[in-house]
Amino acid sequence: MAAVESDRDPPSALCSEFLNFSAKDTASRWLVASNLEQEVYRHLAMYVPRILCVGPNGGVSSREEQREEQREELACQLLLSAPLEWLLLGEEPAAGLAQLQENNQPSPLCGHVFKVGEPTYSCRECAADPTCVLCMQCFLSSIHKDHRYRMTTSGGGGFCDCGDAEAWKKGPYCQKHIPTDSNRDSEEDPVAQLPADLVARGYSIFSIILKYAVDLLTWEQEDQLPAGLEPPERGDMYYCMLFNDEVHTYEQVIYTLQKAVNCSQKEAVSFATTVDRDGRKSVRYGDFQFCEQAKSVIVRNTSRQSKPLRVHVMHSSVVAHQCFALKALSWLGQIIQYSDGLRRILCQVGLQGKGENSSLVDRLMLNDSKMWKGARNIYHQLLMNSLLMDLKYKKIFAIQFAKNYRRLQTDFMEDDHERVVSVTSLSVQLFTVPTMARMLMVEENLMTTIIRTFVDHLRHRDLQGRFQFDRYTAQQAFKFGRVQSLIGDLKYVLISCPTEWSDELRLKFLEGLDAFLELLKCMQGMDPVVRQVGQHIEMEPEWEAAFTLQMKLTHIISMIQEWCSTDERVLIEAYRKCLTALSHCHSGLSDGEQPITLSLSGHSVDTFRYQVSQDKVSIHLPVCRLLAGLHVLLSRTEVASHYPKQLPLSELSPPLLIELPLRCLVLCAQVHAGMWRRNGFSLINQIYYYHNVKCRVEMFDKDIIMLQAGASMMDPNHFLMIVMSRFELFHIFSCADVRKRYREANKDLVQQNNTLIEEMLHLIIMVVGERYIAGVGQVEPFDEIRREIIHQLSVRPMAHSELVKALPENGNKETGLERVIDNVASFKKPGVTGRGLYELRPEWNKHFNLYFHHYSRADQSKAEEAQRKLRRQNGEDTALPPPLPPPLCPLFASLVNLLQSDVLLAVEGAVLQWAVEPSGGGWTESMLQRVLHLVGMALLEEQQQLENSSGDDDNVTFNYTCKITRPGEAPSTSGSVLALLESLQNAPHLEVHKDMITWILKMVANIKTMRERTSSTCTIGISPGQGSEETVRDKDKAERKRKAEMARLRREKIMAQMSEMQKHFINENKELFQQSLEELEASTSAAAEDRYVLVPGEWVEPSVISWSPVSCVRRSRSSEVMAEPWCWQHLSRGLQFCPKTATVTCLTQSITTLCSCTLTCLRGFIPLAVDTSCMPPAGRGTLRRCSSRSRDVSSVFEVTPAMTWRMGSFCVHSASV
């Protein structure tokens, strides 16, 4: 760098000034001056440029540079600061300051301003919110050191909250800051404790110095000074001043400086480091042309890819006065530490003004974004040491801050500096004080101002007015990152719920809620997706911005709900407003959609056609989810029962309430089924965060709650039919024969449908079973946290950090883990790995729910395996029945009716029927497992109601066991759920589910016993003799019906198998049947003369066979029995398929029937009979039967090869029964 001659006085000249200068005499001269400001300015104009006009000392060692800075500091103290102190105190500064400090009654507030990287401590038990912190000295001398605490490092800018009673639930003072009796409750003005002449001088000096500093720091001219500060001898030297920004990298700045000022890399690194730390640095010192040349090179080299570095060519005297302005602000901060009276004087000086934004503090705030980093840090620290330490003027400053909030945030958006060096960062010091936040909300409408400012800065919308982030440029993305700070400010305002409400606070909060609903309406339905078919999506769409916004607003939404829960009037009005907003979002929901009517199991519901796999669907539904949260609060606070007439419940349309959340859940199910693979990873990531612990509280969980709310207000059958329609499964369960639904489908479609059925059943389990939300179930928040921990530890033992990450945090960054963990888990000390683990206590295993809604599929599989292994080790069966659920709150009590609805019974019956045959792709074990879980949930519900009925059976409205014993009402002929379960109990291909089915059957038996005891007790109370006989007779009759139903199901199972085999055989052997047609017809004519039960050669489907009851005489006793197809079944068991020839061999055996049955059949298609090629074993079969005409009559039923069975149908040539 070229050497340049400096116009600054040499050190020897300054030394002579020290010898000849008297600070006391200067102060005395100022004291008698008629215009003190003019005298002080003249003094500063003379000395400041001579002391502080320092150019860059290229080639000077660091030791010499440090020595030069010390000489400057000493000169400033003796020539500039000392006269001011003499003038203020009227005596020698050291003695005067000591006297001030001795007479001062300090505020109990600590006020220590944190430096970057300094440790801070927050008590997790006593802090009002996570922003309340202590410095190390206060923490170590407080009661909080023995509590649970959080230690972090400061980013700079905050201060210690010791002494602030609103910041701590208890222990607000450390030992050092405990208030004395004299100032504990004293509201006396500290200025009154000072001498009157000192007060007068203080006002004058503080006004002059503060105005001087503000004028210089907000000065925009580069070569002129404010009036009164022109130096006696103006030099012609300039600085090339480089300013910091957050756009260019260190490497870019270093390279540019080497090119621009011809310095070494070491010097360039030093320049860049200083610029980054202080905000600006002079990189060249000389005449104007010399500095302008460097500026042009810097601008040219840094403007190619982004905006250029900010460089100004400034006169040396301007730079010198700006440097002293910073020193003057630091001096003010030091002086007011000695006296609270002086602090208040400075506060009054800074905030006094005649017009709007006319005060010195207002000027500093509104010009904040124009200052460099070093200037900002110093005046921010002065504000914290003065205004924020005086409670009276802190409120006045907060009001001014709130008035200018929109403009300050707009300036911050245009700036590129970090928030920590912006005046907007002071919001944490103001808005987190509960009384002040509510005062600003009422007087300045702060909540509405913050929200509307936020919305105004997100201007990129689609045609429907929703936020659109996919076309953001880099500059817009940068701005979006900065605008998120407003959400933090809103969080500060809402972090503490009010305990008392005024009418003004209600009004302003609800006005803020209106603004917040407008924000949520802009988010409702944003980033919609459409299933990609055929070709993979070419470019991954932007999704992170929308989820970032959702995550930032998660705690805000929760806090708004908590505010609403503290006042009944606010909750009712908020619920009404949210419902209106949702109705607005739903206004175009079904427009243009085709209305349809769904009918199943004797129930019908009107809806409209919509398919998630074809139409647009969005995962962002904040309005719906806020309404779901408020609906739960109506139940939790019992407002719904206390003020039913004030609530707009009659305006609710349950099908519309569930529509959008249901679509979102169906989208997740279809993604899991592999239907959205061509949409890329963006959708997979959205589904992941939808279920992730960071978002699920206000996304997935609220969707489940909304479905619960809708289901509790509508017919359960209608709800389930709409669910099946949205899952695109309704056609499967409404077809003529659900058992044959897969025969026409391709393999991929079958697999997709199987997965969708599993997901639908899982959703029903969650809707009915997830009750650990206060307001849905009769539980406390403690129970919810405990359940989360139980299920996390059911997967595997976990460390404390793993459990914390698995639990959602509240607004105070607390999970509630410590309150629960010792109750449900035991700590295993660290071993070789060095990490201690928590293990679930054995007594809590009974609370394990296989379908816990927060399990991922991997966690569910691991938990299931771990629990089954544990049960085997304990010698127990491997059944994993659902745990006993807590009772539902009254507003959600009708949810249990889903379990006994006809539609769900039809679905359960269909799945159980599919499970009769080994799975060939037509069903899955997961599907069956979910059905068994639903059956178990229903049985537990019925058992719980019976136990709580106090012996009165009429009070039990849940009658699931009765419904599962009657035949199903599915479109196809199906057996009862209970009979199907009994037939599946010993199925070899369902061995893994045997224990669960056995548990279910035991539960059914127990419930029947409980009902019989209840009925017997009631009957004996009325007529002991007669009632007992009727009870026994009814019991026998019910048992006979059950056995008859089981027999019918076994027959249907066998005949269905044979019917399918016959059809397959006929299709493959058409020619063979055609050749034997004449022989079959002849055989039919010859047999017609005899009294045949079946026409020769006729094949009969099971559906055209009926049995009639007759009297059966066995030995000497007779009884009326239901007809049972024992003849048919035992004959069928005597027939076996021959794998060698694909024909059937007739076997003989002796069969004894229980009754005599008259077989009736309808004439149907008569195929050709095919003789067997396998010879039967020797012997004749004898059919023994009881006849109604004689007591012991034996008739011979000859079984010959002529009686041919062919794949489920049979031909009888000779049979006389």
Side-chain angles (χ1 to χ4, degrees):
M1 181 184 299
V4 179
E5 183 179 355
S6 173
D7 62 351
R8 181 182 52 168
D9 289 342
S12 59
L14 287 177
C15 291
S16 63
E17 290 285 348
F18 293 161
L19 296 175
N20 299 326
F21 181 80
S22 171
K24 180 179 179 181
D25 293 343
T26 303
S28 300
R29 188 173 65 253
W30 289 353
L31 187 61
V32 297
S34 59
N35 191 333
L36 179 61
E37 180 180 355
Q38 185 177 355
E39 288 295 324
V40 173
Y41 271 37
R42 185 182 296 116
H43 181 82
L44 296 178
M46 179 183 298
Y47 286 101
V48 167
R50 298 172 61 186
I51 298 174
L52 296 173
C53 278
V54 182
N57 299 319
V60 178
S61 65
S62 59
R63 179 176 297 179
E64 292 179 354
E65 184 176 355
Q66 184 178 7
R67 189 178 303 163
E68 181 67 24
E69 290 177 356
Q70 292 175 352
R71 283 197 292 265
E72 282 184 7
E73 190 66 32
L74 181 60
C76 285
Q77 175 62 33
L78 294 178
L79 299 177
L80 303 176
S81 300
L84 294 173
E85 294 174 359
W86 272 97
L87 177 63
L88 174 66
L89 300 172
E91 58 180 326
E92 202 278 327
L97 293 176
Q99 184 66 32
L100 277 178
Q101 190 171 21
E102 182 180 351
N103 296 333
N104 186 41
Q105 294 180 357
S107 166
L109 296 174
C110 173
H112 170 75
V113 179
F114 295 113
K115 300 177 182 178
V116 177
E118 187 175 354
T120 63
Y121 300 83
S122 178
C123 181
R124 298 174 60 188
E125 297 178 4
C126 306
D129 60 73
T131 65
C132 302
V133 294
L134 298 173
C135 62
M136 179 183 292
Q137 290 76 16
C138 292
F139 174 75
L140 294 177
S141 60
S142 70
I143 63 173
H144 307 295
K145 66 179 181 180
D146 299 323
H147 298 172
R148 293 183 298 112
Y149 63 89
R150 181 185 293 109
M151 184 176 69
T152 57
T153 56
S154 173
F159 63 83
C160 178
D161 291 303
C162 182
D164 185 354
E166 288 193 77
W168 309 97
K169 300 173 185 176
K170 61 179 180 179
Y173 308 103
C174 69
Q175 295 296 325
K176 179 180 177 181
H177 295 107
I178 295 178
T180 60
D181 294 336
S182 59
N183 64 2
R184 181 178 299 273
D185 297 319
S186 176
E187 296 183 0
E188 184 179 357
D189 188 352
V191 178
Q193 305 296 324
L194 299 177
D197 57 342
L198 177 61
V199 172
R201 292 193 301 269
Y203 276 111
S204 299
I205 296 173
F206 287 173
S207 297
I208 294 171
I209 297 301
L210 189 58
K211 180 179 180 298
Y212 165 81
V214 173
D215 287 342
L216 267 298
L217 295 181
T218 58
W219 193 251
E220 296 183 358
Q221 299 185 38
E222 299 174 354
D223 59 351
Q224 292 184 3
L225 284 168
L229 291 175
E230 295 83 357
E233 297 179 1
R234 177 182 171 87
D236 193 26
M237 304 306 294
Y238 289 83
Y239 287 99
C240 181
M241 192 70 69
L242 176 64
F243 289 83
N244 178 58
D245 67 17
E246 302 297 333
V247 178
H248 297 86
T249 63
Y250 258 93
E251 290 74 14
Q252 290 174 324
V253 175
I254 292 171
Y255 174 79
T256 300
L257 288 176
Q258 288 180 283
K259 293 284 186 181
V261 299
N262 193 27
C263 62
S264 65
Q265 184 179 15
K266 182 178 180 181
E267 291 175 321
V269 170
S270 177
F271 286 149
T273 303
T274 305
V275 168
D276 181 66
R277 183 187 69 239
D278 298 336
R280 74 176 189 178
K281 173 68 176 176
S282 61
V283 296
R284 176 166 284 187
Y285 181 66
D287 58 29
F288 181 82
Q289 189 64 31
F290 187 59
C291 294
E292 187 67 25
Q293 180 184 1
K295 174 184 176 181
S296 62
V297 175
I298 294 174
V299 171
R300 184 174 62 251
N301 285 352
T302 57
S303 60
R304 296 172 183 173
Q305 297 179 351
S306 59
K307 69 176 184 179
L309 280 167
R310 179 184 168 197
V311 188
H312 291 172
V313 176
M314 305 176 65
H315 194 275
S316 59
S317 61
V318 175
V319 175
H321 278 284
Q322 287 184 341
C323 291
F324 181 71
L326 298 183
K327 294 181 181 294
L329 291 180
S330 299
W331 176 79
L332 288 174
Q334 295 170 3
I335 288 294
I336 62 176
Q337 297 292 330
Y338 292 95
S339 170
D340 281 5
L342 292 179
R343 176 183 286 112
R344 177 156 292 190
I345 292 173
L346 181 61
C347 293
Q348 293 174 357
V349 169
L351 290 174
Q352 67 184 4
K354 296 181 180 180
E356 184 178 359
N357 298 331
S358 61
S359 71
L360 295 174
V361 171
D362 287 333
R363 288 179 58 193
L364 283 173
M365 287 195 298
L366 296 178
N367 288 278
D368 182 81
S369 62
K370 300 176 183 179
M371 300 182 196
W372 63 100
K373 186 186 295 187
R376 297 185 193 187
N377 287 333
I378 289 177
Y379 99 79
H380 293 170
Q381 186 164 348
L382 178 63
L383 292 180
M384 285 187 283
N385 287 334
S386 57
L387 295 172
L388 300 186
M389 290 289 290
D390 190 299
L391 297 180
K392 176 182 177 180
Y393 285 93
K394 184 176 183 179
K395 291 183 179 181
I396 299 175
F397 172 67
I399 292 174
Q400 291 301 110
F401 187 86
K403 288 180 182 296
N404 294 313
Y405 185 83
R406 185 184 292 268
R407 181 174 171 181
L408 294 177
Q409 291 294 344
T410 301
D411 291 344
F412 172 67
M413 298 305 150
E414 301 301 327
D415 190 20
D416 63 356
H417 282 65
E418 297 177 354
R419 179 174 166 83
V420 69
V421 293
S422 169
V423 71
T424 59
S425 64
L426 295 179
S427 61
V428 67
Q429 311 297 339
L430 304 174
F431 298 164
T432 54
V433 182
T435 55
M436 192 170 297
R438 290 192 271 279
M439 179 266 294
L440 294 175
M441 187 182 295
V442 171
E443 296 184 8
E444 301 298 329
N445 206 3
L446 180 61
M447 180 178 176
T448 304
T449 301
I450 295 174
I451 297 171
R452 288 181 178 171
T453 304
F454 177 77
V455 175
D456 289 345
H457 284 95
L458 294 179
R459 298 171 183 166
H460 210 65
R461 315 281 177 85
D462 61 11
L463 296 178
Q464 287 75 33
R466 299 172 300 202
F467 292 142
Q468 191 174 28
F469 301 105
D470 57 344
R471 298 178 183 176
Y472 260 23
T473 62
Q475 180 64 25
Q476 289 171 322
F478 176 76
K479 186 176 180 181
F480 175 69
R482 298 178 74 79
V483 79
Q484 294 173 30
S485 62
L486 279 80
I487 302 178
D489 289 348
L490 184 58
K491 178 181 176 182
Y492 297 149
V493 174
L494 299 173
I495 201 166
S496 178
C497 293
T499 56
E500 296 181 1
W501 286 80
S502 64
D503 292 338
E504 294 81 6
L505 182 59
R506 290 189 183 93
L507 180 64
K508 295 300 182 181
F509 174 75
L510 291 173
E511 187 176 335
L513 180 62
D514 284 332
F516 189 69
L517 287 172
E518 290 298 320
L519 166 62
L520 296 187
K521 284 162 65 176
C522 294
M523 297 173 59
Q524 181 88 356
M526 64 181 177
D527 287 356
V529 292
V530 180
R531 184 186 176 203
Q532 195 78 9
V533 180
Q535 184 178 0
H536 196 281
I537 194 170
E538 295 182 359
M539 183 177 296
E540 295 280 351
E542 166 62 37
W543 63 273
E544 295 181 13
F547 262 90
T548 300
L549 181 58
Q550 174 66 45
M551 283 190 280
K552 293 289 184 181
L553 288 176
T554 293
H555 291 312
I556 303 294
I557 297 173
S558 300
M559 290 173 184
I560 287 179
Q561 295 173 34
E562 287 302 314
W563 273 59
C564 293
S565 68
T566 59
D567 187 78
E568 295 173 344
R569 290 165 56 186
V570 171
L571 177 57
I572 293 172
E573 190 61 31
Y575 189 83
R576 184 179 289 110
K577 289 179 179 293
C578 191
L579 181 59
T580 302
L582 183 59
S583 301
H584 179 268
C585 297
H586 281 166
S587 58
L589 193 62
S590 58
D591 292 349
E593 301 289 350
Q594 178 184 353
I596 57 175
T597 301
L598 305 175
S599 299
L600 184 63
S601 299
H603 300 273
S604 298
V605 62
D606 294 327
T607 182
F608 55 89
R609 188 178 302 279
Y610 176 87
Q611 289 184 302
V612 175
S613 60
Q614 296 180 6
D615 302 316
K616 286 185 177 181
V617 60
S618 173
I619 206 169
H620 298 285
L621 308 169
V623 180
C624 296
R625 291 158 185 161
L626 177 58
L627 183 66
L630 295 176
H631 192 82
V632 170
L633 291 180
L634 293 179
S635 174
R636 192 179 83 186
T637 59
E638 300 182 352
V639 170
S641 58
H642 293 164
Y643 307 98
K645 295 182 180 180
Q646 298 183 26
L647 292 170
L649 297 178
S650 59
E651 302 174 13
L652 296 176
S653 173
L656 286 181
L657 289 182
I658 68 173
E659 181 65 33
L660 294 178
L662 181 57
R663 292 180 185 182
C664 187
L665 290 164
V666 172
L667 171 65
C668 298
Q670 291 185 354
V671 169
H672 177 57
M675 298 172 61
W676 292 71
R677 288 194 184 98
R678 291 182 174 88
N679 285 71
F681 287 103
S682 64
L683 182 58
I684 295 175
N685 291 330
Q686 292 185 61
I687 301 299
Y688 168 78
Y689 278 102
Y690 173 74
H691 291 96
N692 187 266
V693 66
K694 295 181 179 180
C695 300
R696 70 187 183 205
V697 174
E698 294 299 334
M699 295 189 78
F700 171 68
D701 290 358
K702 287 299 189 294
D703 284 345
I704 297 297
I705 291 174
M706 183 57 89
L707 291 185
Q708 291 175 320
S712 64
M713 292 186 286
M714 60 190 298
D715 187 296
N717 296 288
H718 296 172
F719 172 80
L720 291 172
M721 284 191 284
I722 293 176
V723 169
M724 284 193 287
S725 174
R726 297 297 176 261
F727 271 89
E728 302 174 27
L729 299 172
F730 188 80
H731 66 285
I732 293 178
F733 292 98
S734 61
C735 64
D737 191 349
V738 296
R739 291 175 296 177
K740 302 177 182 179
R741 66 183 179 90
Y742 294 116
R743 304 307 179 192
E744 302 174 357
N746 60 55
K747 184 177 179 181
D748 291 339
L749 184 59
V750 169
Q751 187 175 357
Q752 286 179 4
N753 286 338
N754 282 342
T755 304
L756 290 178
I757 293 174
E758 294 173 8
E759 293 296 316
M760 183 186 72
L761 293 172
H762 192 187
L763 177 60
I764 297 172
I765 291 173
M766 291 188 292
V767 169
V768 181
E770 290 307 324
R771 309 179 186 182
Y772 281 86
I773 300 292
V776 177
Q778 298 179 25
V779 296
E780 299 295 332
F782 176 89
D783 300 318
E784 182 181 358
I785 299 170
R786 181 174 61 191
R787 182 170 182 253
E788 291 278 352
I789 295 174
I790 288 173
H791 285 84
Q792 290 299 328
L793 295 179
S794 295
V795 179
R796 56 182 173 83
M798 290 186 176
H800 184 275
S801 58
E802 292 178 293
L803 286 172
V804 170
K805 292 178 182 178
L807 297 174
E809 291 183 344
N810 59 13
N812 289 329
K813 298 184 179 180
E814 291 293 336
T815 61
L817 173 67
E818 285 78 9
R819 295 183 298 160
V820 179
I821 188 65
D822 292 332
N823 185 28
V824 300
S826 55
F827 184 72
K828 185 177 180 181
K829 294 182 179 180
V832 180
T833 60
R835 187 175 67 162
L837 300 175
Y838 283 102
E839 293 182 346
L840 185 65
R841 297 182 187 273
E843 61 267 23
W844 293 101
N845 285 319
K846 63 182 179 180
H847 295 274
F848 172 75
N849 184 0
L850 178 60
Y851 295 102
F852 177 59
H853 66 315
H854 288 160
Y855 271 157
S856 64
R857 289 172 181 82
D859 287 342
Q860 182 185 16
S861 178
K862 294 176 182 177
E864 180 181 5
E865 183 180 355
Q867 290 297 311
R868 292 190 188 278
K869 180 180 179 181
L870 184 63
R871 294 179 72 90
R872 283 193 294 266
Q873 291 175 351
N874 296 336
E876 303 173 359
D877 59 64
T878 58
L880 296 176
L884 193 66
L888 289 164
C889 292
L891 197 60
F892 292 86
S894 59
L895 271 180
V896 297
N897 293 328
L898 284 172
L899 294 172
Q900 60 175 351
S901 62
D902 296 333
V903 172
L904 184 59
L905 286 170
V907 172
E908 291 173 350
V911 174
L912 292 174
Q913 280 187 328
W914 301 337
V916 169
E917 298 181 14
S919 177
W923 61 277
T924 63
E925 291 197 6
S926 296
M927 195 188 302
L928 175 62
Q929 194 173 18
R930 285 162 170 77
V931 167
L932 297 178
H933 195 88
L934 279 168
V935 174
M937 290 173 63
L939 294 174
L940 285 173
E941 193 68 43
E942 184 171 0
Q943 183 187 51
Q944 200 168 9
Q945 286 200 16
L946 285 170
E947 291 174 350
N948 298 333
S949 64
S950 301
D952 189 358
D953 200 16
D954 294 335
N955 292 334
V956 179
T957 59
F958 199 83
N959 198 7
Y960 184 73
T961 52
C962 179
K963 292 191 174 185
I964 64 173
T965 56
R966 70 170 186 244
E969 297 180 2
S972 65
T973 303
S974 61
S976 71
V977 172
L978 180 60
L980 286 167
L981 287 169
E982 290 175 337
S983 64
L984 294 174
Q985 184 178 9
N986 296 316
H989 62 282
L990 299 178
E991 186 66 27
V992 69
H993 302 292
K994 181 179 179 180
D995 291 339
M996 185 64 187
I997 296 175
T998 302
W999 179 87
I1000 290 174
L1001 295 178
K1002 288 181 180 179
M1003 281 291 296
V1004 172
N1006 292 339
I1007 291 173
K1008 286 185 176 180
T1009 302
M1010 293 175 66
R1011 285 192 176 275
E1012 289 167 2
R1013 289 174 182 171
T1014 305
S1015 300
S1016 300
T1017 304
C1018 296
T1019 305
I1020 290 172
I1022 299 172
S1023 177
Q1026 182 180 358
S1028 177
E1029 295 177 1
E1030 291 179 356
T1031 301
V1032 173
R1033 189 181 303 124
D1034 291 342
K1035 182 179 178 180
D1036 291 341
K1037 189 174 181 180
E1039 185 66 20
R1040 289 196 299 271
K1041 287 182 179 180
R1042 188 183 66 81
K1043 290 183 178 179
E1045 184 64 29
M1046 288 181 57
R1048 187 179 71 81
L1049 288 173
R1050 284 195 293 268
R1051 172 189 54 114
E1052 286 188 359
K1053 171 186 173 182
I1054 295 169
M1055 294 312 298
Q1057 292 175 343
M1058 291 191 291
S1059 177
E1060 291 294 327
M1061 294 168 65
Q1062 182 235 10
K1063 289 180 181 179
H1064 180 72
F1065 183 82
I1066 290 175
N1067 290 335
E1068 293 186 355
N1069 298 276
K1070 291 182 178 180
E1071 296 180 358
L1072 183 61
F1073 284 124
Q1074 188 64 31
Q1075 294 174 0
S1076 304
L1077 180 60
E1078 296 179 357
E1079 298 177 3
L1080 178 62
E1081 292 177 350
S1083 176
T1084 303
S1085 301
E1089 299 177 358
D1090 297 328
R1091 189 165 50 87
Y1092 294 132
V1093 175
L1094 294 179
V1095 177
E1098 179 177 351
W1099 67 275
V1100 184
E1101 287 288 342
S1103 59
V1104 301
I1105 299 172
S1106 62
W1107 298 87
S1108 302
V1110 296
S1111 298
C1112 177
V1113 181
R1114 182 181 308 165
R1115 300 304 178 186
S1116 60
R1117 302 179 59 185
S1118 64
S1119 63
E1120 187 72 14
V1121 297
M1122 289 292 295
E1124 301 216 10
W1126 295 107
C1127 303
W1128 186 287
Q1129 290 183 13
H1130 283 291
L1131 284 173
S1132 66
R1133 289 173 184 169
L1135 306 171
Q1136 183 179 357
F1137 175 66
C1138 177
K1140 297 180 181 179
T1141 59
T1143 58
V1144 175
T1145 301
C1146 299
L1147 303 179
T1148 61
Q1149 67 177 30
S1150 176
I1151 303 173
T1152 302
T1153 61
L1154 299 180
C1155 65
S1156 177
C1157 304
T1158 302
L1159 178 63
T1160 307
C1161 69
L1162 301 176
R1163 297 298 178 89
F1165 172 71
I1166 303 177
L1168 294 175
V1170 180
D1171 293 338
T1172 60
S1173 58
C1174 295
M1175 296 300 296
R1180 295 170 63 85
T1182 301
L1183 176 63
R1184 299 186 181 276
R1185 64 183 178 85
C1186 298
S1187 173
S1188 60
R1189 293 168 293 183
S1190 62
R1191 292 179 59 188
D1192 191 7
V1193 179
S1194 297
S1195 60
V1196 177
F1197 192 107
E1198 185 174 8
V1199 182
T1200 66
M1203 186 175 105
T1204 307
W1205 291 62
R1206 198 57 87 214
M1207 303 299 181
S1209 65
F1210 65 91
C1211 306
V1212 181
H1213 281 199
S1214 178
S1216 178
V1217 181

